[in-house]
């Protein structure tokens, strides 16, 4: 049985929540391997809506769920989200949920710093969720992070906090804001330690045991590969690696454990926050896609920017992530359009490109080259087989497959779990 990595192939918001939930029904273990509580996943099961941003989607299915070392964990949000799901009837205990002992924590000072930077009139605005994700990853790389395991060592915790504040209070002095008292951070952490510590464990060991027992593992990514710190639209990216290869490092398994990579891909393109977006539609069609697709952030409520499908970007992420098949989502949002455009290349300073350049300046200047396809007036929403799809919708799907050089493994036609057409079962490859 194969282990499956789920990765967003665009800028996030591709519908990973539903697909992960659909796959979790076939998995034994579900692992979050990067990001934090800045990436919202919405699940709709039998009409009941579950909104998750930190916890693995498999929890709703009762699967063993793991928050890996590659995730930055806000301990206060962890408590809040666990209690919220428990209030909806989801059974969560240390038997079903493990948090990697070596996962770094997001503190209140990280959120404050994030908000100050984004609210400043100076410097580059990235468009973050202001949840402290970036500053927490900075401290991880700077080797001064407080980690989950530190909550269980209160005698040495104050020393670690003081080392952290040597950096942060210097920053705060430079910004002209009040310094932070170490005791306040200590109290903040001790206030949640008793709740979190029972969930702490050696994630790498659990996953190794699961592999030896031939259990199916689903690696759940957050956000999208175009926000990857190395391969995304830098500097308008997140602070972690989002590409599929991070599933190994961010959960504590070897790369050989990653058998199949499923790229979640929206039938059009959206983006939240700042940064380049070649196919963005600032017109009535963009508004149509946004309203019909309910394109508002699960975490922030921010309106998403909308545009035509960009085959160049997705093809690039297919190669970088080693995507074996895509799960095409929100095809039904295109129902009713008389014509649909697809970006097949770019024009940059008189030259035609078949890739997205890495330069910030070039990314801002590329102009999309479009191919126009006939739309369809029939309804694809709710389709559960190819026979239920309009002929032109099938042509659109086949054209996308051709352009990105990757087959469709799953096709989603509504937020409901059952409205999914299975072409290839990733777990059986």
């Amino acid at each position: 049985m194969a282990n499956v990595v789920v990765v967003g192939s665009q800028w996030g918001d591709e519908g990973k929540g539903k697909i992960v939930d659909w796959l979790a029904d076939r998995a034994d273990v579900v692992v979050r391997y990067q990001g934090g509580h800045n990436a919202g996943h919405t699940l709709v099961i039998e009409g009941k809506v579950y909104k998750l941003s930190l916890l693995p989607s498999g929890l709703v299915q009762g699967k063993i769920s793991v928050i890996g070392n590659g995730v930055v964990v806000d301990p206060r949000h962890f408590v809040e989200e666990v209690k919220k799901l428990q209030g909806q009837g989801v059974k969560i205990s240390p038997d079903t949920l493990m948090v990697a002992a070596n996962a770094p924590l997001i503190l209140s000072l990280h959120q404050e710093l994030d908000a100050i930077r984004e609210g400043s009139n100076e410097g580059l605005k990235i468009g973050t969720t202001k949840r402290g994700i970036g500053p927490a990853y900075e401290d991880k790389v700077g080797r001064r992070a407080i980690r989950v395991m530190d909550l269980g060592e209160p005698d040495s915790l104050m020393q670690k906090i003081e080392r952290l504040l040597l950096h942060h209070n210097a920053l705060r002095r430079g910004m002209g804001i009040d310094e932070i008292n170490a005791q306040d951070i200590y109290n903040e952490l001790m206030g949640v330690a008793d709740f979190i510590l029972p969930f702490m464990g050696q994630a790498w060991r659990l996953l190794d045991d699961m592999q030896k027992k031939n259990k199916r593992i689903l690696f759940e990514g957050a956000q999208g590969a175009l926000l990857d710190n190395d391969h995304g639209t830098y500097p308008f990216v997140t602070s972690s690696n989002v590409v599929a290869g991070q599933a190994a490092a961010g959960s504590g398994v070897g790369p050989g454990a990653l058998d199949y990579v499923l790229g979640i891909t929206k039938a059009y393109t959206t983006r939240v926050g700042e940064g380049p977006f070649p196919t963005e539609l600032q017109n009535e069609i963009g508004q149509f896609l946004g309203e019909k697709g309910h394109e508002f952030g699960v975490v922030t409520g921010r309106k998403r920017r909308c545009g035509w499908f960009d085959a160049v970007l997705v093809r690039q992420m297919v190669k970088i992530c080693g995507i074996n098949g895509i799960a095409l989502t929100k095809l039904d949002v295109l129902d009713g359009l008389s014509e649909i455009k697809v970006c097949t290349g770019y024009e940059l300073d008189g030259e035609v490109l078949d890739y997205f350049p890495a330069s910030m300046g070039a990314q801002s200047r590329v102009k999309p080259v479009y191919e126009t396809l006939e739309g369809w007036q029939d309804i694809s929403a709710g389709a559960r087989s190819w026979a239920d799809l309009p002929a032109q919708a099938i042509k659109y799907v086949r054209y996308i497959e051709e352009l990105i050089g990757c087959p469709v493994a799953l096709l989603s036609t509504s937020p409901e779990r059952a409205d999914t057409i299975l072409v290839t079962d990733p777990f059986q490859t």
Side-chain angles (χ1 to χ4, degrees):
M1 298 297 180
N3 296 325
V4 177
V5 180
V6 169
V7 62
S9 69
Q10 295 155 310
W11 279 294
D13 309 309
E14 300 97 348
K16 290 183 293 298
K18 172 194 167 172
I19 301 300
V20 168
D21 175 63
W22 192 90
L23 290 168
D25 191 42
R26 294 155 174 78
D28 299 300
V29 185
V30 181
V31 188
R32 272 286 309 272
Y33 60 83
Q34 54 78 222
H37 65 306
N38 55 338
H41 292 175
T42 301
L43 313 180
V44 183
I45 304 172
E46 296 179 354
K48 194 170 184 178
V49 178
Y50 302 88
K51 294 188 176 183
L52 301 87
S53 54
L54 174 63
L55 300 179
S57 303
L59 272 174
V60 180
Q61 291 275 39
K63 305 293 181 174
I64 295 173
S65 299
V66 178
I67 295 177
N69 57 276
V71 178
V72 282
V73 178
D74 183 322
R76 296 157 301 162
H77 181 87
F78 176 86
V79 174
E80 178 185 318
E81 192 167 322
V82 167
K83 289 183 176 179
K84 180 181 177 182
L85 285 181
Q86 287 175 332
Q88 290 185 276
V90 179
K91 295 180 180 179
I92 303 176
S93 74
D95 292 328
T96 58
L97 174 63
M98 177 183 286
V99 183
N102 52 338
L105 297 176
I106 300 173
L107 309 178
S108 56
L109 60 85
H110 294 129
Q111 291 187 332
E112 187 178 0
L113 179 59
D114 207 357
I116 290 170
R117 286 173 172 172
E118 281 296 304
S120 174
N121 292 323
E122 300 178 0
L124 190 70
K125 289 187 183 296
I126 303 299
T128 77
T129 57
K130 302 179 183 178
R131 298 219 159 187
I133 311 296
Y137 274 117
E138 289 176 34
D139 283 341
K140 174 184 177 179
V141 174
R143 297 167 297 208
R144 53 182 173 264
I146 307 298
R147 300 191 290 178
V148 174
M149 66 182 73
D150 296 324
L151 300 180
E153 300 175 356
D155 292 342
S156 61
L157 179 58
M158 182 62 80
Q159 181 182 353
K160 294 169 185 174
I161 292 172
E162 290 172 346
R163 184 181 64 185
L164 174 71
L165 291 182
L166 281 175
H167 171 79
H168 279 275
N169 280 336
L171 281 179
R172 296 173 75 90
R173 286 194 297 271
M175 293 186 290
I177 58 178
D178 292 340
E179 295 185 26
I180 295 172
N181 184 282
Q183 188 64 47
D184 291 339
I185 300 299
Y186 181 90
N187 294 342
E188 173 186 324
L189 293 173
M190 286 298 98
V192 294
D194 288 345
F195 187 95
I196 294 173
L197 285 174
F199 294 97
M200 182 183 76
Q202 307 305 318
W204 61 269
R205 185 186 295 275
L206 172 65
L207 296 176
D208 183 60
D209 289 342
M210 292 294 108
Q211 289 183 80
K212 288 176 179 175
K213 295 175 182 176
N214 292 318
K215 300 295 185 181
R216 293 172 168 180
I217 303 174
L218 180 62
F219 298 89
E220 175 186 358
Q223 303 158 296
L226 285 167
L227 293 174
D228 184 85
N229 197 261
D230 285 292
H231 299 286
T233 50
Y234 190 91
F236 302 99
V237 292
T238 193
S239 297
S240 64
N241 285 112
V242 187
V243 293
Q246 175 63 16
S251 57
V253 301
L258 313 180
D259 300 308
Y260 186 97
V261 180
L262 181 68
I264 315 301
T265 307
K266 192 178 286 185
Y268 49 101
T269 311
T270 62
R271 176 165 200 169
V272 172
E274 306 297 325
F277 186 169
T279 65
E280 183 174 9
L281 296 170
Q282 296 178 317
N283 56 21
E284 65 279 1
I285 297 177
Q287 185 174 350
F288 169 86
L289 294 173
E291 291 177 356
K292 191 172 180 183
H294 305 291
E295 297 296 352
F296 297 91
V298 175
V299 171
T300 63
R302 288 186 296 178
K303 184 178 180 181
R304 296 173 187 142
R305 301 154 64 189
C306 298
W308 295 121
F309 185 83
D310 192 326
V312 182
L313 290 177
V314 175
R315 181 172 63 239
Q316 199 157 315
M317 292 304 104
V318 164
K319 297 179 185 299
I320 290 171
C321 291
I323 294 173
N324 302 104
I326 67 167
L328 191 66
T329 66
K330 290 199 168 185
L331 180 68
D332 54 297
V333 175
L334 301 178
D335 291 354
L337 290 173
S338 59
E339 66 175 30
I340 299 169
K341 293 184 179 182
V342 177
C343 175
T344 59
Y346 302 125
E347 187 274 323
L348 176 64
D349 303 333
E351 180 184 358
V352 177
L353 301 181
D354 63 355
Y355 67 96
F356 196 51
S359 160
M360 179 177 166
Q363 289 179 354
S364 68
R365 299 198 312 276
V366 296
K367 300 183 185 305
V369 176
Y370 286 119
E371 185 73 27
T372 302
L373 286 74
E374 181 183 346
W376 56 90
Q377 300 303 308
D378 294 330
I379 303 299
S380 70
R384 298 183 182 180
S385 71
W386 288 105
D388 296 333
L389 291 173
Q392 286 302 131
I394 295 174
K395 288 183 181 178
Y396 180 72
V397 173
R398 295 306 185 203
Y399 188 53
I400 285 177
E401 289 180 314
E402 178 185 337
L403 288 174
I404 66 174
C406 187
V408 169
L410 294 166
L411 184 63
S412 171
T413 57
S414 94
E416 288 288 344
R417 183 199 294 170
D419 293 338
T420 306
I421 301 171
L422 175 63
V423 182
T424 302
D425 187 343
F427 284 117
Q428 298 290 347
T429 55

